[in-house]
Amino acid sequence: MNFVPKPSLIRSHGVQQAFTLMELLIAATISVFLLGTIIVSFVVMSRSFNALANYTDLDKQSRNTFDLMARDIRQTGHLTNWTSTNLAFTNLDGGVLSYTYQASAKILTYTNGSLGQSGVLLSNCTSLTFSIFQRTPTNGSFSFYTASNAVSAKGILINFSCLRTNYLGLTDSEATETATIVMRN
């Protein structure tokens, strides 16, 4: 028996063909589109991660500032001097505790003479105000009467705003915080 393949089943092993110009253009277009998508995703994600890191840093700085101030102010003897940007206290041992906001440098500094500590509490602080109040609550609300002088003050209200910039130098993260600290003594 003699087996002869049909002509439709015979493969030609002759000439191999390359990509046509149209196939090459379509492949290049798809490649450029995919590469552009990857680059845009990378830029957006890096800006988001940078903003997230800035917010985390602002939150940590705010929390540390309020913790330190609350601890030290609650242990003071009394408030001796007050302005909207400065606080000065006398500690129970006679040392001086002071907080000073320097608007030109955008920092809040502190000095605790009793412990021999000083340093910067807040940086990149665009605004900060201190307010003082008495312990007596006002009628019908949860607020307190404003103190007229440092001697009658039993509480401190702190408001500040800090900001951070991204790697392009643009402001992308801002935190505004408010805290009330009541003096024990």
Side-chain angles (χ1 to χ4, degrees):
M1 180 176 298
N2 202 359
F3 178 71
V4 179
K6 294 182 184 178
S8 63
L9 297 177
I10 299 174
R11 293 184 179 169
S12 64
H13 292 289
V15 181
Q16 293 205 3
Q17 296 184 7
F19 288 110
T20 64
L21 183 59
M22 187 59 72
E23 290 172 338
L24 188 61
L25 287 174
I26 290 172
T29 302
I30 291 172
S31 298
V32 167
F33 177 73
L34 288 175
L35 185 62
T37 303
I38 290 170
I39 289 171
V40 167
S41 298
F42 176 75
V43 169
V44 168
M45 287 186 343
S46 67
R47 289 186 74 180
S48 297
F49 287 142
N50 183 267
L52 183 64
N54 284 340
Y55 281 121
T56 303
D57 183 48
L58 287 171
D59 181 58
K60 177 184 167 190
Q61 182 176 303
S62 300
R63 192 171 356 109
N64 288 341
T65 298
F66 287 140
D67 287 347
L68 181 80
M69 289 181 79
R71 182 196 69 196
D72 290 347
I73 290 173
R74 287 182 180 145
Q75 294 176 3
T76 62
H78 60 279
L79 181 66
T80 56
N81 192 9
W82 163 80
T83 66
S84 63
T85 58
N86 297 308
L87 292 174
F89 298 90
T90 301
N91 288 326
L92 294 175
D93 64 358
V96 175
L97 171 66
S98 66
Y99 297 96
T100 304
Y101 173 61
Q102 301 169 11
S104 59
K106 297 182 179 180
I107 59 172
L108 173 66
T109 59
Y110 79 102
T111 302
N112 190 342
S114 298
L115 300 176
Q117 296 176 339
S118 64
V120 176
L121 286 177
L122 291 173
S123 59
N124 296 321
C125 191
T126 56
S127 67
L128 183 137
T129 57
F130 295 115
S131 302
I132 58 175
F133 59 89
Q134 299 175 9
R135 251 187 221 158
T136 313
T138 59
N139 293 331
S141 71
F142 292 106
S143 59
F144 297 92
Y145 287 110
T146 303
S148 58
N149 55 36
V151 175
S152 64
K154 294 298 179 186
I156 309 293
L157 178 66
I158 307 160
N159 292 312
F160 66 83
S161 293
C162 294
L163 61 88
R164 293 285 189 275
T165 57
N166 62 14
Y167 56 90
L168 298 173
L170 304 172
T171 300
D172 70 346
S173 306
E174 184 175 8
T176 302
E177 302 287 339
T178 300
T180 302
I181 302 171
V182 177
M183 294 182 279
R184 292 182 180 157
N185 300 319

